[in-house]
PDB file of all heavy atoms in Angstrom:
ATOM      1  N   ASN A   1      -5.997 -14.691  15.903  1.00 78.00           N
ATOM      2  CA  ASN A   1      -5.435 -13.357  15.765  1.00 78.00           C
ATOM      3  C   ASN A   1      -5.149 -13.038  14.302  1.00 78.00           C
ATOM      4  O   ASN A   1      -4.073 -13.349  13.791  1.00 78.00           O
ATOM      5  CB  ASN A   1      -4.135 -13.239  16.575  1.00 78.00           C
ATOM      6  CG  ASN A   1      -4.366 -13.459  18.060  1.00 78.00           C
ATOM      7  OD1 ASN A   1      -5.237 -12.849  18.657  1.00 78.00           O
ATOM      8  ND2 ASN A   1      -3.571 -14.345  18.646  1.00 78.00           N
ATOM      9  N   PRO A   2      -6.119 -12.433  13.605  1.00 82.00           N
ATOM     10  CA  PRO A   2      -5.897 -12.046  12.207  1.00 82.00           C
ATOM     11  C   PRO A   2      -4.731 -11.060  12.101  1.00 82.00           C
ATOM     12  O   PRO A   2      -4.462 -10.277  13.015  1.00 82.00           O
ATOM     13  CB  PRO A   2      -7.217 -11.381  11.812  1.00 82.00           C
ATOM     14  CG  PRO A   2      -8.223 -11.874  12.798  1.00 82.00           C
ATOM     15  CD  PRO A   2      -7.459 -12.086  14.074  1.00 82.00           C
ATOM     16  N   VAL A   3      -4.044 -11.103  10.970  1.00 83.00           N
ATOM     17  CA  VAL A   3      -2.904 -10.224  10.736  1.00 83.00           C
ATOM     18  C   VAL A   3      -3.374  -8.996   9.963  1.00 83.00           C
ATOM     19  O   VAL A   3      -3.931  -9.119   8.868  1.00 83.00           O
ATOM     20  CB  VAL A   3      -1.801 -10.954   9.946  1.00 83.00           C
ATOM     21  CG1 VAL A   3      -0.649  -9.992   9.634  1.00 83.00           C
ATOM     22  CG2 VAL A   3      -1.302 -12.155  10.740  1.00 83.00           C
ATOM     23  N   LYS A   4      -3.161  -7.810  10.546  1.00 88.00           N
ATOM     24  CA  LYS A   4      -3.541  -6.564   9.883  1.00 88.00           C
ATOM     25  C   LYS A   4      -2.331  -6.053   9.120  1.00 88.00           C
ATOM     26  O   LYS A   4      -1.427  -5.438   9.681  1.00 88.00           O
ATOM     27  CB  LYS A   4      -4.021  -5.537  10.909  1.00 88.00           C
ATOM     28  CG  LYS A   4      -4.566  -4.265  10.271  1.00 88.00           C
ATOM     29  CD  LYS A   4      -5.177  -3.330  11.317  1.00 88.00           C
ATOM     30  CE  LYS A   4      -6.538  -3.824  11.753  1.00 88.00           C
ATOM     31  NZ  LYS A   4      -7.234  -2.826  12.609  1.00 88.00           N
ATOM     32  N   ALA A   5      -2.301  -6.307   7.816  1.00 91.00           N
ATOM     33  CA  ALA A   5      -1.163  -5.913   6.984  1.00 91.00           C
ATOM     34  C   ALA A   5      -1.178  -4.427   6.672  1.00 91.00           C
ATOM     35  O   ALA A   5      -0.115  -3.812   6.522  1.00 91.00           O
ATOM     36  CB  ALA A   5      -1.148  -6.727   5.690  1.00 91.00           C
ATOM     37  N   LEU A   6      -2.372  -3.840   6.531  1.00 94.00           N
ATOM     38  CA  LEU A   6      -2.510  -2.404   6.300  1.00 94.00           C
ATOM     39  C   LEU A   6      -3.573  -1.863   7.243  1.00 94.00           C
ATOM     40  O   LEU A   6      -4.663  -2.439   7.369  1.00 94.00           O
ATOM     41  CB  LEU A   6      -2.914  -2.113   4.854  1.00 94.00           C
ATOM     42  CG  LEU A   6      -1.904  -2.459   3.763  1.00 94.00           C
ATOM     43  CD1 LEU A   6      -2.497  -2.153   2.392  1.00 94.00           C
ATOM     44  CD2 LEU A   6      -0.595  -1.718   3.957  1.00 94.00           C
ATOM     45  N   ASP A   7      -3.257  -0.745   7.873  1.00 93.00           N
ATOM     46  CA  ASP A   7      -4.126  -0.186   8.906  1.00 93.00           C
ATOM     47  C   ASP A   7      -4.471   1.270   8.564  1.00 93.00           C
ATOM     48  O   ASP A   7      -3.800   2.206   8.980  1.00 93.00           O
ATOM     49  CB  ASP A   7      -3.419  -0.272  10.258  1.00 93.00           C
ATOM     50  CG  ASP A   7      -4.336   0.063  11.429  1.00 93.00           C
ATOM     51  OD1 ASP A   7      -5.519   0.368  11.187  1.00 93.00           O
ATOM     52  OD2 ASP A   7      -3.859   0.030  12.576  1.00 93.00           O
ATOM     53  N   ASN A   8      -5.515   1.438   7.747  1.00 94.00           N
ATOM     54  CA  ASN A   8      -6.037   2.771   7.415  1.00 94.00           C
ATOM     55  C   ASN A   8      -4.987   3.679   6.769  1.00 94.00           C
ATOM     56  O   ASN A   8      -4.758   4.805   7.217  1.00 94.00           O
ATOM     57  CB  ASN A   8      -6.620   3.449   8.655  1.00 94.00           C
ATOM     58  CG  ASN A   8      -7.829   2.695   9.199  1.00 94.00           C
ATOM     59  OD1 ASN A   8      -8.760   2.397   8.451  1.00 94.00           O
ATOM     60  ND2 ASN A   8      -7.810   2.374  10.472  1.00 94.00           N
ATOM     61  N   ILE A   9      -4.375   3.180   5.706  1.00 96.00           N
ATOM     62  CA  ILE A   9      -3.385   3.958   4.954  1.00 96.00           C
ATOM     63  C   ILE A   9      -4.097   4.892   3.977  1.00 96.00           C
ATOM     64  O   ILE A   9      -5.003   4.473   3.251  1.00 96.00           O
ATOM     65  CB  ILE A   9      -2.450   3.022   4.164  1.00 96.00           C
ATOM     66  CG1 ILE A   9      -1.594   2.180   5.123  1.00 96.00           C
ATOM     67  CG2 ILE A   9      -1.582   3.800   3.187  1.00 96.00           C
ATOM     68  CD1 ILE A   9      -0.460   2.908   5.754  1.00 96.00           C
ATOM     69  N   SER A  10      -3.680   6.169   3.956  1.00 97.00           N
ATOM     70  CA  SER A  10      -4.233   7.136   3.008  1.00 97.00           C
ATOM     71  C   SER A  10      -3.111   7.948   2.375  1.00 97.00           C
ATOM     72  O   SER A  10      -2.177   8.361   3.064  1.00 97.00           O
ATOM     73  CB  SER A  10      -5.210   8.095   3.707  1.00 97.00           C
ATOM     74  OG  SER A  10      -6.330   7.423   4.232  1.00 97.00           O
ATOM     75  N   PHE A  11      -3.208   8.172   1.064  1.00 97.00           N
ATOM     76  CA  PHE A  11      -2.286   9.065   0.365  1.00 97.00           C
ATOM     77  C   PHE A  11      -2.804   9.276  -1.050  1.00 97.00           C
ATOM     78  O   PHE A  11      -3.699   8.577  -1.507  1.00 97.00           O
ATOM     79  CB  PHE A  11      -0.858   8.502   0.320  1.00 97.00           C
ATOM     80  CG  PHE A  11      -0.705   7.204  -0.422  1.00 97.00           C
ATOM     81  CD1 PHE A  11      -0.349   7.178  -1.768  1.00 97.00           C
ATOM     82  CD2 PHE A  11      -0.895   5.982   0.227  1.00 97.00           C
ATOM     83  CE1 PHE A  11      -0.203   5.972  -2.455  1.00 97.00           C
ATOM     84  CE2 PHE A  11      -0.758   4.778  -0.446  1.00 97.00           C
ATOM     85  CZ  PHE A  11      -0.401   4.776  -1.794  1.00 97.00           C
ATOM     86  N   GLU A  12      -2.272  10.262  -1.741  1.00 96.00           N
ATOM     87  CA  GLU A  12      -2.590  10.453  -3.145  1.00 96.00           C
ATOM     88  C   GLU A  12      -1.342  10.880  -3.903  1.00 96.00           C
ATOM     89  O   GLU A  12      -0.426  11.468  -3.328  1.00 96.00           O
ATOM     90  CB  GLU A  12      -3.722  11.462  -3.349  1.00 96.00           C
ATOM     91  CG  GLU A  12      -3.432  12.859  -2.869  1.00 96.00           C
ATOM     92  CD  GLU A  12      -4.625  13.784  -3.137  1.00 96.00           C
ATOM     93  OE1 GLU A  12      -5.718  13.509  -2.589  1.00 96.00           O
ATOM     94  OE2 GLU A  12      -4.459  14.765  -3.898  1.00 96.00           O
ATOM     95  N   ILE A  13      -1.319  10.543  -5.180  1.00 97.00           N
ATOM     96  CA  ILE A  13      -0.158  10.828  -6.018  1.00 97.00           C
ATOM     97  C   ILE A  13      -0.629  11.595  -7.252  1.00 97.00           C
ATOM     98  O   ILE A  13      -1.409  11.060  -8.049  1.00 97.00           O
ATOM     99  CB  ILE A  13       0.557   9.535  -6.449  1.00 97.00           C
ATOM    100  CG1 ILE A  13       0.878   8.645  -5.242  1.00 97.00           C
ATOM    101  CG2 ILE A  13       1.838   9.871  -7.221  1.00 97.00           C
ATOM    102  CD1 ILE A  13       1.495   7.303  -5.610  1.00 97.00           C
ATOM    103  N   PRO A  14      -0.169  12.828  -7.422  1.00 96.00           N
ATOM    104  CA  PRO A  14      -0.535  13.575  -8.634  1.00 96.00           C
ATOM    105  C   PRO A  14       0.095  12.949  -9.875  1.00 96.00           C
ATOM    106  O   PRO A  14       1.086  12.232  -9.801  1.00 96.00           O
ATOM    107  CB  PRO A  14       0.056  14.973  -8.365  1.00 96.00           C
ATOM    108  CG  PRO A  14       0.323  15.026  -6.907  1.00 96.00           C
ATOM    109  CD  PRO A  14       0.622  13.621  -6.485  1.00 96.00           C
ATOM    110  N   LYS A  15      -0.484  13.243 -11.018  1.00 96.00           N
ATOM    111  CA  LYS A  15       0.069  12.756 -12.279  1.00 96.00           C
ATOM    112  C   LYS A  15       1.466  13.329 -12.507  1.00 96.00           C
ATOM    113  O   LYS A  15       1.740  14.482 -12.198  1.00 96.00           O
ATOM    114  CB  LYS A  15      -0.855  13.148 -13.428  1.00 96.00           C
ATOM    115  CG  LYS A  15      -2.204  12.438 -13.381  1.00 96.00           C
ATOM    116  CD  LYS A  15      -3.107  12.862 -14.523  1.00 96.00           C
ATOM    117  CE  LYS A  15      -4.453  12.138 -14.441  1.00 96.00           C
ATOM    118  NZ  LYS A  15      -5.376  12.537 -15.520  1.00 96.00           N
ATOM    119  N   GLY A  16       2.348  12.481 -13.030  1.00 96.00           N
ATOM    120  CA  GLY A  16       3.694  12.913 -13.354  1.00 96.00           C
ATOM    121  C   GLY A  16       4.645  12.955 -12.174  1.00 96.00           C
ATOM    122  O   GLY A  16       5.745  13.487 -12.285  1.00 96.00           O
ATOM    123  N   GLN A  17       4.262  12.353 -11.054  1.00 96.00           N
ATOM    124  CA  GLN A  17       5.110  12.365  -9.865  1.00 96.00           C
ATOM    125  C   GLN A  17       5.719  10.987  -9.612  1.00 96.00           C
ATOM    126  O   GLN A  17       5.126   9.956  -9.920  1.00 96.00           O
ATOM    127  CB  GLN A  17       4.298  12.788  -8.634  1.00 96.00           C
ATOM    128  CG  GLN A  17       5.136  12.990  -7.376  1.00 96.00           C
ATOM    129  CD  GLN A  17       4.295  13.484  -6.214  1.00 96.00           C
ATOM    130  OE1 GLN A  17       3.872  12.710  -5.360  1.00 96.00           O
ATOM    131  NE2 GLN A  17       4.035  14.787  -6.172  1.00 96.00           N
ATOM    132  N   ILE A  18       6.931  10.982  -9.050  1.00 97.00           N
ATOM    133  CA  ILE A  18       7.549   9.747  -8.570  1.00 97.00           C
ATOM    134  C   ILE A  18       7.344   9.693  -7.063  1.00 97.00           C
ATOM    135  O   ILE A  18       7.787  10.589  -6.336  1.00 97.00           O
ATOM    136  CB  ILE A  18       9.043   9.677  -8.910  1.00 97.00           C
ATOM    137  CG1 ILE A  18       9.254   9.771 -10.429  1.00 97.00           C
ATOM    138  CG2 ILE A  18       9.644   8.367  -8.389  1.00 97.00           C
ATOM    139  CD1 ILE A  18      10.718   9.760 -10.849  1.00 97.00           C
ATOM    140  N   PHE A  19       6.678   8.655  -6.598  1.00 97.00           N
ATOM    141  CA  PHE A  19       6.290   8.522  -5.198  1.00 97.00           C
ATOM    142  C   PHE A  19       6.998   7.313  -4.613  1.00 97.00           C
ATOM    143  O   PHE A  19       6.910   6.209  -5.153  1.00 97.00           O
ATOM    144  CB  PHE A  19       4.778   8.353  -5.101  1.00 97.00           C
ATOM    145  CG  PHE A  19       4.225   8.331  -3.701  1.00 97.00           C
ATOM    146  CD1 PHE A  19       3.839   9.503  -3.077  1.00 97.00           C
ATOM    147  CD2 PHE A  19       4.082   7.131  -3.021  1.00 97.00           C
ATOM    148  CE1 PHE A  19       3.312   9.488  -1.798  1.00 97.00           C
ATOM    149  CE2 PHE A  19       3.558   7.098  -1.739  1.00 97.00           C
ATOM    150  CZ  PHE A  19       3.160   8.286  -1.120  1.00 97.00           C
ATOM    151  N   GLY A  20       7.715   7.515  -3.518  1.00 95.00           N
ATOM    152  CA  GLY A  20       8.454   6.430  -2.890  1.00 95.00           C
ATOM    153  C   GLY A  20       7.733   5.885  -1.668  1.00 95.00           C
ATOM    154  O   GLY A  20       7.265   6.642  -0.816  1.00 95.00           O
ATOM    155  N   LEU A  21       7.634   4.565  -1.600  1.00 94.00           N
ATOM    156  CA  LEU A  21       7.029   3.881  -0.459  1.00 94.00           C
ATOM    157  C   LEU A  21       8.124   3.109   0.252  1.00 94.00           C
ATOM    158  O   LEU A  21       8.699   2.176  -0.311  1.00 94.00           O
ATOM    159  CB  LEU A  21       5.925   2.952  -0.953  1.00 94.00           C
ATOM    160  CG  LEU A  21       5.016   2.291   0.078  1.00 94.00           C
ATOM    161  CD1 LEU A  21       4.336   3.330   0.952  1.00 94.00           C
ATOM    162  CD2 LEU A  21       3.974   1.435  -0.623  1.00 94.00           C
ATOM    163  N   LEU A  22       8.443   3.532   1.469  1.00 91.00           N
ATOM    164  CA  LEU A  22       9.571   2.969   2.207  1.00 91.00           C
ATOM    165  C   LEU A  22       9.096   2.344   3.502  1.00 91.00           C
ATOM    166  O   LEU A  22       8.107   2.770   4.097  1.00 91.00           O
ATOM    167  CB  LEU A  22      10.606   4.053   2.531  1.00 91.00           C
ATOM    168  CG  LEU A  22      11.614   4.420   1.443  1.00 91.00           C
ATOM    169  CD1 LEU A  22      10.927   5.104   0.275  1.00 91.00           C
ATOM    170  CD2 LEU A  22      12.693   5.333   2.017  1.00 91.00           C
ATOM    171  N   GLY A  23       9.859   1.358   3.946  1.00 87.00           N
ATOM    172  CA  GLY A  23       9.569   0.723   5.223  1.00 87.00           C
ATOM    173  C   GLY A  23      10.397  -0.532   5.372  1.00 87.00           C
ATOM    174  O   GLY A  23      10.916  -1.066   4.387  1.00 87.00           O
ATOM    175  N   PRO A  24      10.535  -1.036   6.608  1.00 85.00           N
ATOM    176  CA  PRO A  24      11.290  -2.281   6.807  1.00 85.00           C
ATOM    177  C   PRO A  24      10.580  -3.466   6.178  1.00 85.00           C
ATOM    178  O   PRO A  24       9.426  -3.360   5.742  1.00 85.00           O
ATOM    179  CB  PRO A  24      11.355  -2.411   8.340  1.00 85.00           C
ATOM    180  CG  PRO A  24      10.317  -1.506   8.878  1.00 85.00           C
ATOM    181  CD  PRO A  24       9.991  -0.486   7.850  1.00 85.00           C
ATOM    182  N   ASN A  25      11.252  -4.597   6.121  1.00 85.00           N
ATOM    183  CA  ASN A  25      10.623  -5.815   5.603  1.00 85.00           C
ATOM    184  C   ASN A  25       9.361  -6.119   6.402  1.00 85.00           C
ATOM    185  O   ASN A  25       9.358  -6.060   7.634  1.00 85.00           O
ATOM    186  CB  ASN A  25      11.587  -7.001   5.698  1.00 85.00           C
ATOM    187  CG  ASN A  25      12.737  -6.886   4.721  1.00 85.00           C
ATOM    188  OD1 ASN A  25      12.614  -6.253   3.683  1.00 85.00           O
ATOM    189  ND2 ASN A  25      13.863  -7.495   5.055  1.00 85.00           N
ATOM    190  N   GLY A  26       8.287  -6.449   5.695  1.00 85.00           N
ATOM    191  CA  GLY A  26       7.033  -6.755   6.365  1.00 85.00           C
ATOM    192  C   GLY A  26       6.214  -5.543   6.744  1.00 85.00           C
ATOM    193  O   GLY A  26       5.192  -5.676   7.432  1.00 85.00           O
ATOM    194  N   ALA A  27       6.606  -4.363   6.277  1.00 89.00           N
ATOM    195  CA  ALA A  27       5.901  -3.136   6.661  1.00 89.00           C
ATOM    196  C   ALA A  27       4.547  -3.005   5.987  1.00 89.00           C
ATOM    197  O   ALA A  27       3.672  -2.283   6.464  1.00 89.00           O
ATOM    198  CB  ALA A  27       6.764  -1.921   6.334  1.00 89.00           C
ATOM    199  N   GLY A  28       4.374  -3.658   4.841  1.00 92.00           N
ATOM    200  CA  GLY A  28       3.118  -3.555   4.101  1.00 92.00           C
ATOM    201  C   GLY A  28       3.270  -2.921   2.737  1.00 92.00           C
ATOM    202  O   GLY A  28       2.278  -2.710   2.025  1.00 92.00           O
ATOM    203  N   LYS A  29       4.505  -2.660   2.324  1.00 92.00           N
ATOM    204  CA  LYS A  29       4.742  -1.991   1.038  1.00 92.00           C
ATOM    205  C   LYS A  29       4.208  -2.821  -0.132  1.00 92.00           C
ATOM    206  O   LYS A  29       3.493  -2.309  -0.997  1.00 92.00           O
ATOM    207  CB  LYS A  29       6.246  -1.733   0.845  1.00 92.00           C
ATOM    208  CG  LYS A  29       6.914  -0.955   1.955  1.00 92.00           C
ATOM    209  CD  LYS A  29       8.362  -0.644   1.643  1.00 92.00           C
ATOM    210  CE  LYS A  29       9.249  -1.872   1.468  1.00 92.00           C
ATOM    211  NZ  LYS A  29       9.336  -2.685   2.703  1.00 92.00           N
ATOM    212  N   SER A  30       4.589  -4.082  -0.164  1.00 91.00           N
ATOM    213  CA  SER A  30       4.156  -4.941  -1.274  1.00 91.00           C
ATOM    214  C   SER A  30       2.650  -5.162  -1.254  1.00 91.00           C
ATOM    215  O   SER A  30       2.025  -5.322  -2.311  1.00 91.00           O
ATOM    216  CB  SER A  30       4.882  -6.284  -1.225  1.00 91.00           C
ATOM    217  OG  SER A  30       6.259  -6.118  -1.499  1.00 91.00           O
ATOM    218  N   THR A  31       2.046  -5.145  -0.071  1.00 94.00           N
ATOM    219  CA  THR A  31       0.593  -5.284   0.020  1.00 94.00           C
ATOM    220  C   THR A  31      -0.097  -4.101  -0.629  1.00 94.00           C
ATOM    221  O   THR A  31      -1.102  -4.259  -1.344  1.00 94.00           O
ATOM    222  CB  THR A  31       0.152  -5.420   1.489  1.00 94.00           C
ATOM    223  OG1 THR A  31       0.802  -6.550   2.086  1.00 94.00           O
ATOM    224  CG2 THR A  31      -1.353  -5.614   1.592  1.00 94.00           C
ATOM    225  N   VAL A  32       0.427  -2.894  -0.412  1.00 96.00           N
ATOM    226  CA  VAL A  32      -0.121  -1.708  -1.075  1.00 96.00           C
ATOM    227  C   VAL A  32      -0.050  -1.878  -2.588  1.00 96.00           C
ATOM    228  O   VAL A  32      -1.028  -1.640  -3.310  1.00 96.00           O
ATOM    229  CB  VAL A  32       0.641  -0.434  -0.648  1.00 96.00           C
ATOM    230  CG1 VAL A  32       0.203   0.759  -1.495  1.00 96.00           C
ATOM    231  CG2 VAL A  32       0.416  -0.133   0.823  1.00 96.00           C
ATOM    232  N   VAL A  33       1.104  -2.309  -3.079  1.00 94.00           N
ATOM    233  CA  VAL A  33       1.287  -2.472  -4.525  1.00 94.00           C
ATOM    234  C   VAL A  33       0.336  -3.540  -5.066  1.00 94.00           C
ATOM    235  O   VAL A  33      -0.285  -3.359  -6.129  1.00 94.00           O
ATOM    236  CB  VAL A  33       2.749  -2.832  -4.852  1.00 94.00           C
ATOM    237  CG1 VAL A  33       2.907  -3.208  -6.318  1.00 94.00           C
ATOM    238  CG2 VAL A  33       3.673  -1.670  -4.500  1.00 94.00           C
ATOM    239  N   LYS A  34       0.197  -4.634  -4.358  1.00 94.00           N
ATOM    240  CA  LYS A  34      -0.675  -5.723  -4.841  1.00 94.00           C
ATOM    241  C   LYS A  34      -2.140  -5.280  -4.899  1.00 94.00           C
ATOM    242  O   LYS A  34      -2.876  -5.687  -5.798  1.00 94.00           O
ATOM    243  CB  LYS A  34      -0.518  -6.945  -3.946  1.00 94.00           C
ATOM    244  CG  LYS A  34       0.802  -7.671  -4.144  1.00 94.00           C
ATOM    245  CD  LYS A  34       0.940  -8.864  -3.211  1.00 94.00           C
ATOM    246  CE  LYS A  34       2.262  -9.573  -3.429  1.00 94.00           C
ATOM    247  NZ  LYS A  34       2.440 -10.719  -2.496  1.00 94.00           N
ATOM    248  N   ILE A  35      -2.565  -4.452  -3.965  1.00 97.00           N
ATOM    249  CA  ILE A  35      -3.936  -3.945  -4.006  1.00 97.00           C
ATOM    250  C   ILE A  35      -4.108  -2.977  -5.171  1.00 97.00           C
ATOM    251  O   ILE A  35      -5.077  -3.062  -5.933  1.00 97.00           O
ATOM    252  CB  ILE A  35      -4.305  -3.274  -2.671  1.00 97.00           C
ATOM    253  CG1 ILE A  35      -4.449  -4.328  -1.563  1.00 97.00           C
ATOM    254  CG2 ILE A  35      -5.618  -2.477  -2.807  1.00 97.00           C
ATOM    255  CD1 ILE A  35      -4.679  -3.750  -0.183  1.00 97.00           C
ATOM    256  N   LEU A  36      -3.164  -2.067  -5.341  1.00 97.00           N
ATOM    257  CA  LEU A  36      -3.286  -1.060  -6.394  1.00 97.00           C
ATOM    258  C   LEU A  36      -3.176  -1.665  -7.795  1.00 97.00           C
ATOM    259  O   LEU A  36      -3.669  -1.082  -8.757  1.00 97.00           O
ATOM    260  CB  LEU A  36      -2.234   0.028  -6.203  1.00 97.00           C
ATOM    261  CG  LEU A  36      -2.420   0.928  -4.980  1.00 97.00           C
ATOM    262  CD1 LEU A  36      -1.259   1.904  -4.845  1.00 97.00           C
ATOM    263  CD2 LEU A  36      -3.740   1.696  -5.058  1.00 97.00           C
ATOM    264  N   THR A  37      -2.539  -2.818  -7.895  1.00 96.00           N
ATOM    265  CA  THR A  37      -2.418  -3.490  -9.199  1.00 96.00           C
ATOM    266  C   THR A  37      -3.436  -4.610  -9.366  1.00 96.00           C
ATOM    267  O   THR A  37      -3.324  -5.418 -10.291  1.00 96.00           O
ATOM    268  CB  THR A  37      -0.992  -4.038  -9.388  1.00 96.00           C
ATOM    269  OG1 THR A  37      -0.667  -4.921  -8.306  1.00 96.00           O
ATOM    270  CG2 THR A  37       0.019  -2.902  -9.427  1.00 96.00           C
ATOM    271  N   THR A  38      -4.402  -4.682  -8.465  1.00 96.00           N
ATOM    272  CA  THR A  38      -5.563  -5.592  -8.514  1.00 96.00           C
ATOM    273  C   THR A  38      -5.202  -7.057  -8.302  1.00 96.00           C
ATOM    274  O   THR A  38      -5.986  -7.944  -8.611  1.00 96.00           O
ATOM    275  CB  THR A  38      -6.374  -5.453  -9.824  1.00 96.00           C
ATOM    276  OG1 THR A  38      -5.691  -6.087 -10.911  1.00 96.00           O
ATOM    277  CG2 THR A  38      -6.640  -3.992 -10.169  1.00 96.00           C
ATOM    278  N   ILE A  39      -4.018  -7.318  -7.764  1.00 94.00           N
ATOM    279  CA  ILE A  39      -3.624  -8.705  -7.491  1.00 94.00           C
ATOM    280  C   ILE A  39      -4.367  -9.239  -6.274  1.00 94.00           C
ATOM    281  O   ILE A  39      -4.727 -10.416  -6.213  1.00 94.00           O
ATOM    282  CB  ILE A  39      -2.105  -8.805  -7.300  1.00 94.00           C
ATOM    283  CG1 ILE A  39      -1.396  -8.499  -8.623  1.00 94.00           C
ATOM    284  CG2 ILE A  39      -1.691 -10.186  -6.789  1.00 94.00           C
ATOM    285  CD1 ILE A  39       0.096  -8.373  -8.490  1.00 94.00           C
ATOM    286  N   THR A  40      -4.596  -8.368  -5.298  1.00 94.00           N
ATOM    287  CA  THR A  40      -5.362  -8.742  -4.117  1.00 94.00           C
ATOM    288  C   THR A  40      -6.373  -7.647  -3.823  1.00 94.00           C
ATOM    289  O   THR A  40      -6.215  -6.501  -4.276  1.00 94.00           O
ATOM    290  CB  THR A  40      -4.439  -8.987  -2.903  1.00 94.00           C
ATOM    291  OG1 THR A  40      -5.197  -9.552  -1.833  1.00 94.00           O
ATOM    292  CG2 THR A  40      -3.807  -7.688  -2.423  1.00 94.00           C
ATOM    293  N   THR A  41      -7.424  -7.981  -3.079  1.00 94.00           N
ATOM    294  CA  THR A  41      -8.484  -7.015  -2.794  1.00 94.00           C
ATOM    295  C   THR A  41      -8.323  -6.448  -1.389  1.00 94.00           C
ATOM    296  O   THR A  41      -7.852  -7.139  -0.478  1.00 94.00           O
ATOM    297  CB  THR A  41      -9.867  -7.671  -2.914  1.00 94.00           C
ATOM    298  OG1 THR A  41      -9.919  -8.808  -2.044  1.00 94.00           O
ATOM    299  CG2 THR A  41     -10.128  -8.108  -4.335  1.00 94.00           C
ATOM    300  N   PRO A  42      -8.714  -5.197  -1.190  1.00 95.00           N
ATOM    301  CA  PRO A  42      -8.619  -4.610   0.155  1.00 95.00           C
ATOM    302  C   PRO A  42      -9.711  -5.157   1.069  1.00 95.00           C
ATOM    303  O   PRO A  42     -10.771  -5.604   0.609  1.00 95.00           O
ATOM    304  CB  PRO A  42      -8.818  -3.112  -0.114  1.00 95.00           C
ATOM    305  CG  PRO A  42      -9.630  -3.048  -1.370  1.00 95.00           C
ATOM    306  CD  PRO A  42      -9.199  -4.225  -2.190  1.00 95.00           C
ATOM    307  N   SER A  43      -9.452  -5.099   2.365  1.00 94.00           N
ATOM    308  CA  SER A  43     -10.459  -5.491   3.351  1.00 94.00           C
ATOM    309  C   SER A  43     -11.334  -4.312   3.741  1.00 94.00           C
ATOM    310  O   SER A  43     -12.423  -4.494   4.301  1.00 94.00           O
ATOM    311  CB  SER A  43      -9.773  -6.055   4.606  1.00 94.00           C
ATOM    312  OG  SER A  43      -8.934  -7.129   4.288  1.00 94.00           O
TER     313      SER A  43
END
């Protein structure tokens, strides 16, 4: 049973905006950040 950490997440952030990513522990927030900062690759 593979673990699906992110399931078809979509969003965009305009320049000059502060964007908040909220969720309980284990929601996938840090996974989003790690992908966007090239620490891990998306599936």
Side-chain angles (χ1 to χ4, degrees):
N1 298 309
V3 176
K4 186 174 283 189
L6 294 178
D7 190 0
N8 296 308
I9 294 284
S10 297
F11 63 94
E12 62 179 61
I13 308 176
K15 293 179 180 179
Q17 187 177 98
I18 301 178
F19 185 90
L21 189 57
L22 278 68
N25 290 333
K29 305 185 298 297
S30 292
T31 302
V32 172
V33 171
K34 287 179 180 178
I35 290 174
L36 292 176
T37 57
T38 76
I39 293 171
T40 189
T41 56
S43 304

